[in-house]
């Protein structure tokens, strides 16, 4: 249920600029990303960002979904939350933009064993994350851009682990609940598309 709420909330945020009037921001973009990461995992990104034409600050909402299959378990996770980035320096007449970023939000990790009895209940880690990072982006055209970067930090997670035992010859399990702080790394490669109109020079 929580996944559905987050998914539809994210779609609502993405549809807002298409329905609303011109905001105080001059540019609005949507981004679609993919990054094959550690241990064969597949990362898919979706983001919506707004900024003034100077692009000194960019405000975004980012969502990520990841999955991978190993010999003994399947791993899925997702993250969603706001991200702010600030320009550090540029090269080649502002064509290559280097930015410091800060991503905060909700993350969820699920590890499910493929064999019995581990497949009876997955191990889950979910909670709030705070991740500084660094991005490099460039504009190929007035509409199309590319962003590459990563964020690393910590998240404070509630954990749920199954503890298996036999009682009267029957296999049972209890769910052990705990809380802790864990490291997390997110990397993405995204193509961004500007969805606002082209502004004339006197409108900038």
């Amino acid at each position: 249920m929580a996944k559905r709420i987050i998914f539809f909330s994210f779609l609502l945020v993405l549809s807002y600029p298409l329905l609303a009037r011109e905001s105080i921001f001059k540019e609005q973009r949507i981004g679609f990303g993919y990054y094959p990461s550690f241990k064969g995992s597949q990362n898919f990104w979706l983001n919506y960002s707004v900024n003034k034409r100077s692009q000194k600050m960019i405000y975004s909402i980012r969502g990520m979904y990841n999955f991978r299959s190993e010999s003994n378990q399947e791993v899925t996770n997702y993250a969603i939350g706001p991200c702010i980035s600030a320009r550090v320096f540029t090269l080649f007449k502002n064509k290559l933009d280097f930015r410091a970023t800060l991503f905060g939000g909700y993350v969820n990790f699920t590890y499910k064993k493929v064999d019995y009895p581990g497949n009876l209940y997955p191990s889950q880690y979910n909670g709030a994350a705070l991740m500084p990072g660094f991005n490099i982006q460039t504009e190929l055209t007035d509409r199309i851009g590319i962003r590459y970067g990563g964020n690393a930090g910590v998240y404070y997670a509630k954990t749920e682990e199954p503890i298996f035992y036999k009682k009267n010859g029957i296999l049972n399990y209890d769910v052990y609940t705990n809380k802790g702080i864990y490291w997390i790394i997110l990397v993405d490669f995204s193509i961004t598309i500007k969805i606002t109109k082209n502004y004339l020079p006197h409108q900038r």
Side-chain angles (χ1 to χ4, degrees), residues 6 9-10 13-14 25 45-50 57-64 78-86 100-107 127-133 135 147 150-152 154 186:
I6 293 172
S9 298
F10 198 69
V13 171
L14 288 179
F25 297 98
W45 284 87
L46 182 65
N47 69 86
Y48 161 68
S49 63
V50 291
M57 302 292 292
I58 297 178
Y59 307 89
S60 307
I61 292 179
R62 294 185 182 180
M64 184 275 296
Y78 62 88
I80 186 170
C83 181
I84 184 171
S85 73
T101 63
L102 182 63
F103 175 82
Y106 177 85
V107 298
L130 185 64
M131 292 173 284
N135 282 353
R147 187 188 74 234
N151 293 80
V154 296
L186 298 178

Side-chain angles (χ1 to χ4, degrees), residues 71-118:
S71 58
N72 63 341
Q73 70 178 355
E74 296 178 350
V75 183
T76 60
N77 61 75
Y78 62 88
I80 186 170
C83 181
I84 184 171
S85 73
R87 175 175 290 155
V88 179
F89 64 91
T90 62
L91 295 175
F92 309 114
K93 297 181 179 180
N94 296 336
K95 294 297 183 181
L96 203 58
D97 196 1
F98 294 81
R99 313 185 66 87
T101 63
L102 182 63
F103 175 82
Y106 177 85
V107 298
N108 180 88
F109 287 82
T110 302
Y111 300 86
K112 186 172 184 178
K113 299 289 186 179
V114 296
D115 299 322
Y116 180 85

Side-chain angles (χ1 to χ4, degrees), residues 128-191:
L130 185 64
M131 292 173 284
F134 200 75
N135 282 353
I136 301 174
Q137 65 184 47
T138 184
E139 304 298 328
L140 301 179
T141 70
D142 186 58
R143 290 280 180 181
I144 307 297
I146 293 177
R147 187 188 74 234
Y148 176 82
N151 293 80
V154 296
Y155 71 107
Y156 182 72
K158 173 186 175 183
T159 65
E160 294 182 1
E161 299 277 2
I163 305 297
F164 296 95
Y165 62 94
K166 279 190 176 182
K167 185 177 181 180
N168 299 326
I170 300 175
L171 183 67
N172 295 275
Y173 69 88
D174 290 327
V175 178
Y176 174 71
T177 302
N178 196 12
K179 293 181 180 179
I181 297 178
Y182 303 88
W183 284 99
I184 181 174
I185 300 174
L186 298 178
V187 182
D188 78 299
F189 175 84
S190 295
I191 295 176

